């Protein structure tokens, strides 16, 4: 995964072309200027003949005084954007802005298996556009996990720490600490932990993609969020302890969890 940090006056990436692919970039916009974003789509496309795709990205926020950042900010009423396997976190607590995924104006936008944590808003739709959210996890955001109106027909299998997650199969009132490996400030690890509510709670989107943010192949039933939890269960019959493994009575044996680094 490639790193990117913005200059003091701009966004990490500004999309100004109609057919764009952004994949595998870890970025942190600089909050010294108001309203900077990891990815900004506001190019005033002349019509809806465009296709912007964002995947496998990690976007950490920053805050300087009253200035704020966003992860993805879409401000083009003609834009067609698809985002998957992407994480946005720590985009401040200011009273405006600070969305992990902010859909201000778009024609269509879809988020699949994306994760938002500790932003002011996890997923925010404020003006126009048809926005679909599926298999998304949004927890511990200070304003709201999902703010605004999203497509009610196709948005489903989402998770929130309140009751805002759209969809009849969505999970409500779940906590970040029960789902992520670590939520310690500046040491966040937003992979799913063993026993997370998001495990096996999603729906397969294999017609669109088959892996997670780390490139690991997803297995049915899919997990919610950007990470697919891969837990290997090892049964021991002759040993009473094992370095690196812990006894779990729920599975009747020893288990270990492999946690991949975002940059690995």
């Amino acid at each position: 995964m490639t790193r990117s940090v913005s200059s003091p006056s701009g966004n990490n990436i500004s999309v100004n072309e109609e057919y764009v692919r952004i994949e595998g970039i870890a970025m942190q916009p600089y909050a010294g200027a108001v309203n900077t974003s990891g990815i900004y789509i506001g190019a005033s496309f002349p019509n809806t003949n465009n296709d912007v795709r964002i995947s496998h990205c990690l976007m950490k926020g920053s805050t300087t005084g009253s200035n704020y950042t966003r992860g993805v900010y879409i401000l083009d009423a003609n834009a067609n954007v698809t985002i998957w396997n992407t994480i946005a976190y720590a985009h401040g607590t200011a009273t405006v802005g600070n969305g992990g995924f902010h859909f201000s104006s778009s024609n269509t936008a879809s988020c699949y298996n994306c994760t938002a944590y500790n932003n002011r808003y996890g997923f925010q739709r404020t003006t126009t556009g048809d926005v679909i959210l599926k298999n998304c996890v949004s927890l511990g955001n200070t304003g709201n996990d999902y703010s605004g109106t999203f497509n009610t027909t196709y948005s489903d299998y989402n998770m929130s720490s309140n009751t805002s997650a759209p969809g009849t199969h969505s999970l409500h009132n779940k906590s970040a600490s029960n789902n992520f490996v670590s939520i310690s400030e500046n040491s966040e690890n937003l992979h799913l932990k063993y026993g997370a509510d998001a495990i096996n709670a999603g729906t397969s989107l294999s017609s669109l993609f088959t892996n997670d943010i780390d490139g690991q192949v997803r297995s049915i039933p899919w997990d919610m969020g950007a990470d697919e939890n891969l837990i290997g269960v090892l049964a021991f019959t002759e040993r009473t302890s094992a370095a690196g493994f812990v006894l779990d009575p729920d599975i009747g044996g020893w288990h270990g969890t492999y946690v991949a680094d975002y940059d690995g």
Side-chain angles (χ1 to χ4, degrees), residues 194 232-237 245-256:
Y194 177 75
V233 179
L234 304 179
F236 292 85
T237 57
F245 292 83
V246 295
L247 183 63
D248 192 315
D250 293 334
I251 59 175
W254 301 90
H255 76 268

Side-chain angles (χ1 to χ4, degrees), residues 1 10 31-32 41 48 63 65-66 82 98 109 114 153-155 171 187 192-193 208 222 228 236 238 243 249:
M1 185 173 282
I41 304 171
T48 59
T63 303
S66 61
T82 306
N98 297 102
C114 290
T153 301
Y154 297 107
S155 294
L171 300 180
S187 298
L192 298 179
K193 66 190 297 184
L208 302 175
W222 279 30
E228 181 80 6
F236 292 85
E238 298 180 358

Side-chain angles (χ1 to χ4, degrees), residues 160-175:
S160 60
S161 50
N162 50 26
T163 60
S164 63
T168 57
H169 298 92
S170 294
L171 300 180
H172 296 155
N173 300 314
K174 304 302 179 182
S175 71

